[in-house]
Amino acid sequence: MKIAQEAVDRIKEGNGNKINFIWIEANGCAGDIISFLNADEPDALYFLKEMVNLKYSPSLMQAEGERAYEEFLETLNTDFILGVEGSLTNVENGFYDIFAYYKGKTISVAEAVAKAAEKAKHIIAIGTCASFAGISAARPNPTGCTSLSGFLGREVINVPGCPANPLWVMGTVASLVLYNKVEVDDKGRPLMFFKDTNHVNCERRSYFDNKINAQKLGDKECMFKLGCRGPVTKAYCPIGRWNSRINWPVGDNTPCIGCANEYFPDGSEPFVRY
Amino acid sequence: MTIKITLDPITRISGPLSIEVEIEKNKIVNAKSSGVQYRGFEKMLTGRSPLDAVYFTERICGICSVAHGVSASLALEDALKVKPDANGIKVRNFAHAADFLQNIIRQICLYVFPDYVKISALPGSIGGDFRLPEKYTEKINEDYIKAIEYSRLAHEMVALIGGKVPHSHGIFVGGTTVSLDPFKIIRLKSILQSINDFIANNMVEDINIIAEYYTEYYKIGGGTGNLLTYGLFDEMGEGELHYVNPSVYIKGKAYKLNAKAITEGTAYSWYSGNKISRVPSMEPTETDIKKEGAYTFIKAARYEGKVMQVGPLARMILSGSYKNRISTMDRLMARVLEGKKLSEKMLKLLEIIEPIPAVQERYTIPESSVGMGLKDSVRGALGHWLAIEKGVIKNYDIVTPSVWNLSPVDERGQHGAMEEALIGTEIKDVSHPIEIGRIIRSFDPCLSCATHVITDCREPYYIDLI
Amino acid sequence: MDKKLRHKQMLEDINYCNKMINLSYCMYAKQYWINLFNKKMEEALKELEAPETKEENKEETKQETAREPEKQFTLEELAQYDGSMGKAAYIAIEGIVYDVSWNSCWGGGTHFGLLAGKELTAEFKKGHMKGIEVLKELPVVGVLK
């Protein structure tokens, strides 16, 4: 990806100081970090070596227990980008999602996120749960989950997707590292990736335009009559695709379920309808 | 004098886990495994369209979403009376196994290696007990880096079949949705061969090196010798593709699995009520975070009232591929060897997969029905139970492998497998109890899976396991 | 149809729409007639600007006329058009039946868990509190009996 490569070169020729990165996993499935590890050109290794110092990540970091929490606290006193995946639950003092146990005290994820957000240089909501509350808040929302911006009461960069596509996260971080900002739309989503709906660039448009419909999953025709949410979902899937750009749901003969939408999943139901 | 240590966060696992141990004279005398996250998936699923269960339940877990997709598809096929075509089953099993490989590579190389070797690609360190000489430290660091690429490739295989991963679309009722052709087959083959090479050569060597320098881990962190598996590649005939049948191992003998013997208890979990319920039950129940004595969101799954251990070690022993020995290092070794075994089976499977489009139908949802989908995922036995009423989901029960392994103590005082594994372990340095994390990670915990569930003690519905 | 007759018909349609706008109390019905009025005016203006050609000899294009009896749907008939199995997807709001078969928000004939082929006034009002602007673009296929 060009923008990430530029960021790398700039870092190399500049002061060589990489910004720190805190990746918090809130109330979700931890799918966004797994998705991010699937990044390709540049890959996750490039990210770790050349773009940021990943100071905190529950999935990857080496320290554990109190030492891990201390590394989190230490990073708060530096320049860092905060990335949060998963929804925020603050009911019952955030009991439904715990971050750490430190010196006799239980710290909820909500508390840790609030602490980090105060000091972060940039804040990214990674994935639909963090951006828009997502499936963790699906009816009836048993744990009162909200989006990151809803919880903090301020705007953040939203990179939705269930999970967030690694291209979108990588490109957003690259923009911040290189230009100290990223252009977003009215919902905080980077315009790089959320300008058009999946319908605009779908490879099956000629089928749609001629009203040639798939009858069931597995067919090669337009998936609209089976429940495709492509026409109402802004994302980058038909262009950048998934998993090293090799495939995407529609290309796999299934409808788009609008996983990057504000109202996913309740607003996309039912996902499949014959 | 009893020292209480709480380790939270346990890093390099999937999801938030808190461990509290009591240590007397440098030995762990009590352990509490706490799943400290909850979302309530079963409540969410009630009232939704049954076909949506596949994509919805995948989102219970980011690292093993394919496993949920498979179990949900199996449960729906049972409820809808759908019989996938033979090729569809093979392709779905291939995608499932590909996700196993991703899990195994990431779990061993990215999650476990840093326990034994300082990794230079990431800041920080677990510190303390590093014993490997320089040349092996370098080798494992190199393989850590390579693992990032090979695990990504494993997911590329899943995406070729499933459209994307995590949270694939192509795993579905009836098999898969992908239109296979010779070009896709050769792409799968080329990726698989490189991964097979990495596991068989690099990873096997690495885990043997670690085992050589940390031999005492063959003696600690065992846990119960009762094993359970829902089977894997058991529908692939009896030849070289077959892996392990649904079975249990109790007190020295192997038996066929009886799904009706599975129960879940909430005695020490943050859910209201204190009874044992058969799985599946009828309705989700409420959380009760003020419950006396409770310490986790994970429930206690039992088989015939007994504590069971699940995962690669259970499968390898039950299939006769590994000697019957249970310990921390055995679990790690079995995981790597299972990776090698699976990738070899996948190569053979690929030879008989036909490069044809998927067979899918317009499935009819019955007014009412029940279904069950039991299949092992990489971490162990994963079960989905579904009841349809008035054409929508009335109830959905899920019991994940981590509910077996990471379960709390039950009403009879029996600790779950991991708690039992910790109890009795000698801690060399109480100020840096590195043994705890190493034992925990050998179980490959997944908390987003283990903590989603709630069931209640009502009249259960029964499904015959054929 | 020859040109003179066609123009007479157009004028009659426009006047009829105008009359119905004034007679309608329900804002949904009013909007329906306003939309139809605007459409008819557009067509009339286009007709007036079009040069003399052999258009009259060409095949007649099918035109929606206000004087054609509106298709009337019972609830049972409406239920047939639920968008499943490749069928068209119709919904009824305040007595007017709209075709949502190819509306972006109605993939698979469903919208936020709602199925087509139904009377959805209450749900519409709840979900679109800002009003009826969204209905402007929807093709109308008839009215509820």
Side-chain angles (χ1 to χ4, degrees), chain B residues 210-266:
Chain B
I210 290 175
E212 203 187 302
Y213 283 84
Y214 293 86
T215 47
E216 75 267 32
Y217 283 89
Y218 274 116
K219 301 251 172 5
I220 63 175
T224 179
N226 295 334
L227 310 171
L228 179 138
T229 173
Y230 290 160
L232 187 66
F233 277 30
D234 49 306
E235 68 283 84
M236 308 300 294
E238 290 301 320
E240 35 180 29
L241 285 176
H242 182 269
Y243 182 16
V244 62
N245 285 333
S247 45
V248 295
Y249 190 83
I250 298 175
K251 290 200 184 134
K253 259 190 87 181
Y255 305 88
K256 208 171 127 187
L257 177 81
N258 172 19
K260 289 187 190 163
I262 300 169
T263 58
E264 273 186 311
T266 55

Side-chain angles (χ1 to χ4, degrees), chain C residues 125-142:
Chain C
K125 284 182 176 168
K126 206 166 76 165
H128 293 267
M129 290 191 283
K130 289 219 181 100
I132 60 176
E133 280 301 302
V134 294
L135 294 178
K136 224 167 66 164
E137 301 303 315
L138 295 180
V140 173
V141 290

Side-chain angles (χ1 to χ4, degrees), chain A residues 26-31 34-35 37-40 43-45 48 54-56 58-65 68 71 92 95-101 135-136 138-140 142-143 162-163 215-218 242-244 246-249 252-255 257 259 264-266 269-272 274, chain B residues 6-9 11-13 16 36-40 43-44 46 48-49 51-52 55-56 59-63 102 106 111 114 118-119 122-126 145 148 152 155-156 159-167 169-170 172 177-179 187 270 287 289-290 297 360-363 437 441 448:
Chain A
N27 211 6
C29 71
I34 298 300
S35 180
L37 287 172
N38 289 337
D40 179 42
D43 63 1
L45 184 65
L48 294 172
L54 186 63
K55 290 295 226 177
Y56 189 88
S59 287
L60 297 175
M61 68 189 295
Q62 303 192 66
E64 64 182 0
E71 288 186 13
E92 306 284 359
F95 193 83
Y96 292 107
D97 195 17
I98 300 301
F99 188 75
Y101 184 91
I135 200 164
S136 295
R139 173 195 25 94
T143 53
C162 186
Q215 312 267 299
K216 54 195 190 308
L217 303 198
W242 287 83
N243 298 92
S244 315
I246 57 177
N247 209 353
W248 68 301
D252 202 48
N253 307 317
T254 65
I257 61 175
C259 75
F264 178 77
D266 294 340
E269 296 250 318
F271 298 148
V272 175
Y274 299 115
Chain B
T6 303
L7 260 186
D8 185 3
T11 53
R12 287 177 280 114
I13 59 171
V36 285
Q37 177 199 24
Y38 173 73
R39 284 168 297 160
K43 268 184 162 168
M44 296 174 189
T46 309
R48 292 186 196 255
S49 163
L51 288 175
D52 286 2
Y55 301 160
F56 206 97
R59 284 149 167 97
I60 287 172
C61 184
I63 199 170
Q102 174 263 156
R106 281 186 177 148
Y111 290 4
K118 173 157 165 46
I119 300 297
L122 272 184
S125 168
I126 188 105
I145 307 268
I148 295 177
R152 179 187 78 234
H155 259 181
E156 283 183 23
L160 272 166
I161 295 170
K164 76 187 238 273
V165 64
H167 310 326
H169 276 226
F172 199 69
T177 63
V178 65
S179 275
R187 283 182 89 171
W270 286 310
T287 53
I289 59 179
K290 308 263 185 277
F297 279 115
Q360 280 280 315
E361 310 290 339
R362 283 166 146 176
Y363 302 110
R441 288 185 194 93
S448 21

Side-chain angles (χ1 to χ4, degrees), chain B residues 66-86:
Chain B
V66 176
H68 284 286
V70 170
S71 287
S73 299
L74 289 171
L76 277 164
E77 281 163 5
D78 190 20
L80 272 48
K81 311 282 176 271
V82 168
K83 193 164 180 292
D85 68 303

Side-chain angles (χ1 to χ4, degrees), chain B residues 8-215:
Chain B
D8 185 3
I10 309 283
T11 53
R12 287 177 280 114
I13 59 171
S14 187
L17 176 70
S18 176
I19 296 286
E20 185 193 283
V21 297
E22 286 168 36
I23 299 175
E24 274 170 25
K25 296 195 182 120
N26 279 54
K27 246 205 180 118
I28 298 179
V29 294
N30 195 18
K32 286 183 177 172
S33 130
S34 301
V36 285
Q37 177 199 24
Y38 173 73
R39 284 168 297 160
F41 264 74
E42 287 172 351
K43 268 184 162 168
M44 296 174 189
L45 282 161
T46 309
R48 292 186 196 255
S49 163
L51 288 175
D52 286 2
V54 182
Y55 301 160
F56 206 97
T57 56
E58 279 181 339
R59 284 149 167 97
I60 287 172
C61 184
I63 199 170
C64 61
S65 64
V66 176
H68 284 286
V70 170
S71 287
S73 299
L74 289 171
L76 277 164
E77 281 163 5
D78 190 20
L80 272 48
K81 311 282 176 271
V82 168
K83 193 164 180 292
D85 68 303
N87 206 49
I89 296 178
K90 292 187 189 116
V91 179
R92 187 164 69 196
N93 282 355
F94 186 93
H96 194 191
D99 196 47
F100 268 65
L101 299 186
Q102 174 263 156
N103 264 285
I104 291 169
I105 298 172
R106 281 186 177 148
Q107 208 276 330
I108 295 289
C109 301
L110 304 186
Y111 290 4
V112 168
F113 280 177
D115 272 346
Y116 303 93
V117 172
K118 173 157 165 46
I119 300 297
S120 49
L122 272 184
S125 168
I126 188 105
D129 180 31
F130 295 140
R131 305 177 199 170
L132 263 54
E134 182 66 35
K135 63 170 187 224
Y136 289 145
T137 302
E138 250 180 61
K139 178 185 193 304
I140 288 190
N141 264 283
E142 272 168 24
D143 285 341
Y144 180 97
I145 307 268
K146 289 195 184 129
I148 295 177
E149 183 193 348
Y150 285 105
S151 57
R152 179 187 78 234
L153 287 175
H155 259 181
E156 283 183 23
M157 285 200 289
V158 179
L160 272 166
I161 295 170
K164 76 187 238 273
V165 64
H167 310 326
S168 314
H169 276 226
I171 310 285
F172 199 69
V173 179
T176 66
T177 63
V178 65
S179 275
L180 284 179
D181 55 47
F183 180 49
K184 290 200 176 90
I185 300 285
I186 203 71
R187 283 182 89 171
L188 289 170
K189 189 170 178 189
S190 72
I191 296 174
L192 180 57
Q193 277 172 330
S194 69
I195 293 176
N196 181 34
D197 191 55
F198 177 71
I199 298 178
N201 298 323
N202 301 50
M203 283 180 70
V204 169
E205 209 179 309
D206 291 338
I207 199 67
N208 276 301
I209 291 169
I210 290 175
E212 203 187 302
Y213 283 84
Y214 293 86
T215 47

Side-chain angles (χ1 to χ4, degrees), chain B residues 399-421:
Chain B
V399 180
T400 65
S402 295
V403 175
W404 291 99
N405 284 343
L406 274 60
S407 97
V409 67
D410 63 25
E411 70 293 343
R412 295 193 207 171
Q414 299 178 115
H415 285 272
M418 191 172 79
E419 286 182 348
E420 204 182 309

Side-chain angles (χ1 to χ4, degrees), chain A residues 76-144:
Chain A
L76 296 187
N77 296 325
T78 67
D79 260 353
F80 69 95
I81 299 175
L82 172 65
V84 180
E85 67 166 287
S87 302
L88 276 303
T89 167
N90 205 13
V91 303
E92 306 284 359
N93 289 321
F95 193 83
Y96 292 107
D97 195 17
I98 300 301
F99 188 75
Y101 184 91
Y102 188 69
K103 305 239 186 285
K105 208 171 147 267
T106 302
I107 295 131
S108 69
V109 170
E111 192 187 321
V113 166
K115 230 189 187 94
E118 261 171 47
K119 308 262 197 89
K121 193 155 176 219
H122 303 283
I123 305 177
I124 311 175
I126 301 173
T128 304
C129 282
S131 303
F132 300 127
I135 200 164
S136 295
R139 173 195 25 94
N141 197 352
T143 53

